[in-house]
């Protein structure tokens, strides 16, 4: 990886983090930047992008949980459905040919 590409990837990561913190949707910037990194497969780019999203969402959820008392009887089934859908999406992405993702 060249120094210029490293700087571009870092800048995209910081910009995506800022966008996520302000309005959400930073992955729309981060994923295309990750796909430009040579040697990184599309699956690795998707997984890296999703890892950042997981940490951001977990931080937001913990902050929300500390500040407000929510109804866990509603939140837990929603979390289970979201987990199952994410797992299903990961399985589908892992089985797609590389040309479909790029």
């Amino acid at each position: 990886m060249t120094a210029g590409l490293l700087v571009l990837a870092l800048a995209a990561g910081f910009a995506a983090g800022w966008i996520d913190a302000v309005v959400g949707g930073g992955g729309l910037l981060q994923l295309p930047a990750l796909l430009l990194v040579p040697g990184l497969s599309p699956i690795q780019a998707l997984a890296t992008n999703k890892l950042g999203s997981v940490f951001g969402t977990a931080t937001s959820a913990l902050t929300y949980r500390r500040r407000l008392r929510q109804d866990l009887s509603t939140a837990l089934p929603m979390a289970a459905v979201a987990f199952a859908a994410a797992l299903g999406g990961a399985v589908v992405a892992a089985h797609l040919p590389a040309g479909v993702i790029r």
Side-chain angles (χ1 to χ4, degrees):
M1 180 186 292
T2 65
L5 190 54
L6 180 61
V7 168
L8 175 67
L10 288 172
F14 280 114
W18 182 80
I19 291 169
D20 263 342
V22 175
V23 293
L28 294 172
L29 177 67
Q30 184 180 14
L31 184 59
L34 287 170
L35 289 172
L36 293 175
V37 175
L40 195 65
S41 74
I43 296 298
Q44 290 170 323
L46 285 168
T48 302
N49 183 48
K50 187 50 63 183
L51 186 63
S53 297
V54 165
F55 282 110
T57 301
T59 302
S60 297
L62 287 173
T63 302
Y64 180 75
R65 174 89 170 117
R66 285 186 193 129
R67 292 185 181 175
L68 299 172
R69 291 291 168 213
Q70 58 277 29
D71 180 17
L72 289 181
S73 65
T74 302
L76 291 178
M78 290 174 152
V81 170
F83 179 78
L87 187 60
V91 169
V92 169
H95 287 89
L96 286 175
V100 172
I101 297 173
R102 280 209 189 247

